[in-house]
Amino acid sequence: MNANEKKRHEGFTARQILRFIIPSAAGAFLFMCPVPDGNGGMLIPITILNDWINTHFSGILPFIALIIIVGSAILSCIGTTMHPAIFDRHPILKDAFCTKWYWLLIRVLAAVVTIMVFCNVGPEWLIGPDTGSFVFYSLICTIIAIAVYGCGLLPLLTEFGLMDFVGTLVSPLMRKVFKLPGRAAVDCLSSWLGATSLGVLITNGQLEKGYYTQREAASIATNFSAVSIAFALVVLTQVGLEDQFFTFYLTVGLVAVVSAIILNRIPPLSRKPDTYITENPAQEGESIKPDGYTLLGWAWTRAVRKGNDNGYTVKSYMTDWGKNSCMMLFGMLGNVMLVGTVALVIAYNTPIFTYLGMPFQPLLELLQIPEAEAASQTMIVGFTDMFIPSVLASATITSPYTLFLVAVISITQVLYLSDNVAMILITKIKVNLFEMFIIFLERTIVSLVVASLFIRFVLQVPLA
């Protein structure tokens, strides 16, 4: 340790320490600390904020969504086909609207479907409350709220030292168990407790800054960017078992951990390159403790340094907030709108997912799952949207055991076309659609086996 390093380690000023503690504590509270929701339940503060925005701005959010999706399609047509000079002078315009032809097609089609839904013009199977209207008024409006507050609050979690502090302390455990860097612990936890879109946003940001390799980013995005606690309760309520939430989420957590341990060690995730996408990776060897430091001391030193070396001023913070929000809104909303609507149309109007679920029936019967045939139809349909399995189960299944199991699987499958799959595809996380479907199948099989055994022999939920 040289003299300057030792001085920094031993002589942080109160201002330097507070620059780490205050933003990091605020980020940890907002993203990871359940608080009473006023109705006898517990919610994450950002979930409460999200609900508040959706409640108080419900009248204007659809208009904003319409403008963003249609505007994105128009500007993408201009940027991709005409390449005006103003797009070259402003990187944010170029990144957002100069895209590949297939993304351009998706945005244009999304604009058409959005206009049809908003104006209530078109066939019921396309714009109905279970398909286009559900995606537009439920998912899209929620994403807008997330983009508004999430992109502004995320740096509190990632840029002021919290990830460095926790990451240094738990790096050996994260490496051994999940084959991930220690800072991923905060990423994984906030992704799991927050929202899928926020989880992917955090992971992509860390990848772009050189903290994650391609394999690590792909692993986190496909294993830990799950739905929020609040939505998990919605799923359980749909199947009529909301009074069992504690045991339900305990099961979800256990299954998620086992799935992540296994999937990180098999293809396609195990074959992802352990390389960074930046020329100068930011990863500093967080688990390598210099001489003269305790592990806690080194974690503290790295955290305070990060909080003071991030270069943030009020102006740069606000600039990044606006840029990230625009990229998320204009780059993602159209994709979610079209992909989610098409997936739901197929799920509700064709037998495709029933046929795709048939291979799961022998496994369900082997595990002695009651109403195996009905349960098999919920297995693959979860790839379209996390809510559809519980909707189908509540209409076709009567066994509490099977309803509980389907609810667990729908959460632990993690990957959904209508949400995080569409978002992962527009980020720099190197996982294509086919690979995500394979990972989805792997997660479904592992989750099914682990959850069924745990529910039966540990929780002892009755079969009928």
Side-chain angles (χ1 to χ4, degrees):
M1 184 194 319
N2 61 44
N4 289 333
E5 286 180 326
K6 191 167 185 177
K7 182 179 179 180
R8 292 186 72 183
H9 172 53
E10 297 177 350
F12 289 126
T13 65
R15 181 176 180 178
Q16 289 174 318
I17 293 172
L18 290 176
R19 186 174 166 88
F20 153 57
I21 289 179
I22 293 176
S24 297
F29 171 74
L30 290 168
F31 285 87
M32 293 184 287
C33 295
V35 297
D37 64 358
N39 297 313
M42 302 291 288
L43 289 176
I44 305 300
I46 59 166
T47 302
I48 297 175
L49 177 60
N50 183 71
D51 292 342
W52 184 87
I53 293 174
N54 282 319
T55 298
H56 289 80
F57 296 92
S58 58
I60 195 174
L61 285 177
F63 292 95
I64 296 174
L66 176 69
I67 292 171
I68 291 173
I69 294 174
V70 174
S72 176
I74 294 172
L75 291 173
S76 296
C77 287
I78 295 172
T80 304
T81 61
M82 301 174 63
H83 304 287
I86 189 174
F87 282 60
D88 292 326
R89 293 196 300 269
H90 296 83
I92 187 172
L93 293 176
K94 185 175 182 179
D95 291 342
F97 303 118
C98 295
T99 186
K100 298 183 183 298
W101 68 267
Y102 47 86
W103 291 123
L104 175 61
L105 178 61
I106 287 175
R107 292 179 184 183
V108 171
L109 293 175
V112 173
V113 173
T114 300
I115 293 172
M116 294 173 67
V117 170
F118 187 82
C119 298
N120 197 30
V121 175
E124 182 70 12
W125 56 263
L126 180 63
I127 68 170
D130 294 327
T131 52
S133 292
F134 171 78
V135 176
F136 183 70
Y137 290 105
S138 297
L139 295 180
I140 295 298
C141 291
T142 297
I143 291 172
I144 291 176
I146 289 173
V148 170
Y149 71 76
C151 292
L153 298 178
L154 275 179
L156 301 177
L157 200 66
T158 63
E159 302 301 323
F160 287 88
L162 179 62
M163 276 193 163
D164 300 81
F165 182 77
V166 176
T168 302
L169 291 178
V170 304
S171 180
L173 177 64
M174 291 295 292
R175 286 289 183 191
K176 185 174 183 179
V177 176
F178 297 115
K179 302 181 70 175
L180 295 173
R183 68 186 296 110
V186 177
D187 187 345
C188 295
L189 185 59
S190 59
S191 299
W192 191 261
L193 297 179
T196 54
S197 301
L198 285 176
V200 175
L201 191 64
I202 293 172
T203 303
N204 186 62
Q206 297 294 289
L207 172 68
E208 290 181 336
K209 293 176 182 178
Y211 287 105
Y212 294 153
T213 66
Q214 295 182 48
R215 181 193 61 78
E216 291 165 350
S219 174
I220 295 168
T222 58
N223 280 298
F224 295 99
S225 296
V227 300
S228 66
I229 289 179
F231 198 88
L233 180 57
V234 173
V235 169
L236 197 60
T237 302
Q238 178 64 35
V239 297
L241 299 173
E242 60 271 23
D243 59 328
Q244 301 182 40
F245 184 75
F246 177 78
T247 53
F248 168 73
Y249 215 73
L250 174 65
T251 308
V252 167
L254 172 70
V255 173
V257 168
V258 175
S259 297
I261 291 173
I262 294 174
L263 265 65
N264 282 332
R265 290 166 169 80
I266 61 176
L269 288 177
S270 65
R271 293 181 178 176
K272 291 293 176 182
D274 257 321
T275 55
Y276 297 93
I277 65 173
T278 59
E279 294 183 0
N280 299 303
Q283 188 71 300
E284 304 176 28
E286 58 195 8
S287 61
I288 302 175
K289 179 175 63 66
D291 294 337
Y293 287 91
T294 64
L295 182 61
L296 181 61
W298 178 232
W300 174 262
T301 298
R302 293 193 70 230
V304 178
R305 286 180 185 176
K306 175 66 176 181
N308 286 272
D309 295 343
N310 57 29
Y312 266 124
T313 62
V314 173
K315 181 180 179 180
S316 63
Y317 191 102
M318 298 302 291
T319 299
D320 283 352
W321 187 346
K323 178 182 177 181
N324 293 334
S325 295
C326 287
M327 290 298 296
M328 184 175 179
L329 290 172
F330 287 98
M332 179 183 175
L333 286 195
N335 301 342
V336 173
M337 183 65 200
L338 185 67
V339 173
T341 300
V342 170
L344 291 175
V345 168
I346 292 173
Y348 282 115
N349 297 279
T350 74
I352 290 177
F353 290 109
T354 299
Y355 295 144
L356 291 175
M358 285 181 177
F360 283 90
Q361 188 169 340
L363 177 58
L364 289 161
E365 291 174 346
L366 178 65
L367 294 169
Q368 299 180 356
I369 307 299
E371 303 178 67
E373 182 179 357
S376 69
Q377 298 177 20
T378 69
M379 294 293 107
I380 300 298
V381 73
F383 190 61
T384 63
D385 183 82
M386 76 289 286
F387 197 51
I388 298 178
S390 61
V391 173
L392 296 180
S394 64
T396 59
I397 297 172
T398 59
S399 166
Y401 177 95
T402 308
L403 287 170
F404 193 98
L405 177 66
V406 170
V408 169
I409 300 300
S410 69
I411 301 298
T412 58
Q413 286 173 324
V414 171
L415 295 169
Y416 316 105
L417 278 170
S418 62
D419 197 343
N420 56 352
V421 167
M423 187 164 186
I424 290 171
L425 290 174
I426 66 170
T427 67
K428 294 184 179 179
I429 301 171
K430 305 295 183 181
V431 193
N432 60 43
L433 184 60
F434 177 74
E435 288 174 327
M436 280 190 275
F437 184 66
I438 296 300
I439 294 169
F440 170 85
L441 292 177
E442 293 172 344
R443 291 193 65 86
T444 302
I445 294 171
V446 173
S447 297
L448 182 57
V449 174
V450 176
S452 62
L453 296 177
F454 184 74
I455 294 169
R456 176 175 300 178
F457 297 110
V458 179
L459 300 181
Q460 297 183 343
V461 175
L463 295 179

